[in-house]
Amino acid sequence: MIEASSSEGVVVLQGVEKWYGDVQALTSVSLTVHEGEAAVIIGPSGSGKSTLIRVINALEPFQQGSVIVGGIDLRAGDRRSVDAVRRQVGMVFQQFNLFPHLTALENVALAPRRVLRQSKSEANERGAALLERVGLGAHKDKQPNQLSGGEQQRVAIARALAMQPRVLLFDEPTSALDPEMVNEVLLVIQELATGGTTMIVVTHEMGFAASVADRIIFMDKGVIVEQGDPRRIFSEPSEKRTRTFLASVLGGLYEAPTLGVEDNNDDQVGESRDKPHS
Ligand SMILES: Nc1ncnc2c1ncn2[C@@H]1O[C@H](COP(=O)(O)OP(=O)(O)O)[C@@H](O)[C@H]1O
Ligand SMILES: [Mg+2]
C-alpha cells in the first residue's frame, strides 16, 4: 500500500484513462476535490460519471494515470489499498441497497460494529443520532418495506455517514425516487454540504446542483469538458458542449449567453457523436 501526502486534496485524480474492453470511458481525467468541498458532476448519459465515481471508490480498475483518495494511492491496486480507500469513502447509490430484513437502525449500525468494532450500544447510539439528523428519528425501528423511497434513501445516507468517511460519493441519489420524494433527500444532502461534508455528487437536478455545488464539473464522452464556479458554469459556460447540454436539460429555462461568445453555426442540437456509442 502506497501512502501519499493528502495535503493537495481528499481525492486527487491525474490523467486517468479507463477502458471497458474497447470502450474508453474516461479520457485523461484530472480532478482534485478538497476537504469540505461539494463537487457536483453533471453531463449526458454515458459520459462517464458513474465510472468516475466507481474508480474513486475502487470499484473499477483503471489503466493509466493516478487516483489518490485520502492519501492512499490506488495505482498499485492491491487489496490493502482498496480496503483502505473503501473505509474512507461513503457511497450512496441510486438504488438504496438496504438490507430488507434489518431495521433502519440495524442497517446503519451494522458496518460500524463489524468494521469499526464499535460496541452494540455505541453503534446504536451513534446510529440513532444519525437517523435523527436525516429526519428519521421516529422511524429507526422500521424495516425498509415500511419506509418510502425517500426515507430509505435517507437511511442509506445515514448508513454511509456512520462509517465516518472522509468523502461521500453520490451517484444520482434521487433518480429512483418518485418526484415528491426528491426534495427531502436533496435537502439532507444540502445540509451535509453546508455543514462541511466533503462530497462528490452526480445529479441531473440542476437547481440543486447550482445551489449545493462549490464546483460544477461537466463531463461529456469520458472527458471533463469544463469545471468551475456554478454561477459561471450556469450563466456563461465557456464550452459549446456545456451550453448545448444545459440547454437540453433546462429547456426553456436556459438562455444561452450571447455576451462575447458567438456561435456562427447553430448545429449544436443535432450534433452527432464522433464515435459510436455502445
Ligand atoms: N460495465 C461496463 N462494461 C462496458 N461498458 C461500460 C460499463 N459501464 C459503463 N460502460 C460504458 O462506459 C461509458 C460511460 O458509462 P457511465 O460511466 O455509466 O456513464 P454515465 O454514468 O455518465 O451515464 C458508456 O459508454 C458506457 O456504455
Ligand atoms: Mg451513471
Side-chain angles (χ1 to χ4, degrees), residues 29-152:
V29 167
S30 296
L31 172 70
T32 300
V33 177
H34 297 97
E35 190 94 51
E37 193 179 14
V40 175
I41 303 175
I42 61 173
S45 174
S47 58
K49 306 179 299 296
S50 294
T51 300
L52 178 57
I53 292 285
R54 292 170 62 80
V55 161
I56 294 169
N57 200 12
L59 288 167
E60 285 288 350
F62 53 96
Q63 282 79 22
Q64 267 184 58
S66 73
V67 176
I68 298 173
V69 180
I72 314 283
D73 192 331
L74 271 172
R75 236 174 320 186
D78 58 298
R79 191 73 235 170
R80 264 186 79 207
S81 307
V82 168
D83 288 347
V85 162
R86 297 234 179 102
R87 292 228 188 149
Q88 309 221 30
V89 172
M91 178 82 201
V92 177
F93 299 91
Q94 192 174 323
Q95 302 294 343
F96 336 118
N97 299 334
L98 298 177
F99 289 110
H101 59 290
L102 299 181
T103 66
L105 182 59
E106 287 165 345
N107 265 284
V108 175
L110 184 68
R113 287 184 64 190
R114 292 237 176 114
V115 181
L116 302 181
R117 304 262 164 236
Q118 289 177 9
S119 68
K120 184 173 183 181
S121 62
E122 184 186 6
N124 281 350
E125 200 172 306
R126 287 172 180 270
L130 286 169
L131 286 170
E132 201 71 58
R133 186 162 166 199
V134 300
L136 294 175
H139 299 285
K140 67 182 171 51
D141 297 320
K142 290 188 179 166
Q143 292 190 338
N145 64 6
Q146 298 171 290
L147 298 168
S148 72
E151 289 165 344
Q152 289 183 58

Side-chain angles (χ1 to χ4, degrees), residues 18-25 63:
K18 160 76 185 170
W19 287 268
Y20 295 103
D22 292 339
V23 178
Q24 183 155 18
Q63 282 79 22

Side-chain angles (χ1 to χ4, degrees), residues 134-204:
V134 300
L136 294 175
H139 299 285
K140 67 182 171 51
D141 297 320
K142 290 188 179 166
Q143 292 190 338
N145 64 6
Q146 298 171 290
L147 298 168
S148 72
E151 289 165 344
Q152 289 183 58
Q153 190 60 306
R154 286 187 280 150
V155 174
I157 293 171
R159 178 180 58 178
L161 288 169
M163 291 298 287
Q164 303 166 330
R166 290 202 52 200
V167 55
L168 270 184
L169 308 178
F170 295 89
D171 192 358
E172 299 193 25
T174 61
S175 296
L177 297 175
D178 290 332
E180 72 270 25
M181 291 167 190
V182 167
N183 265 346
E184 64 190 68
V185 171
L186 294 182
L187 279 171
V188 166
I189 300 172
Q190 178 137 38
E191 218 164 272
L192 292 172
T194 308
T197 301
T198 311
M199 61 174 74
I200 305 176
V201 188
V202 174
T203 187
H204 291 296

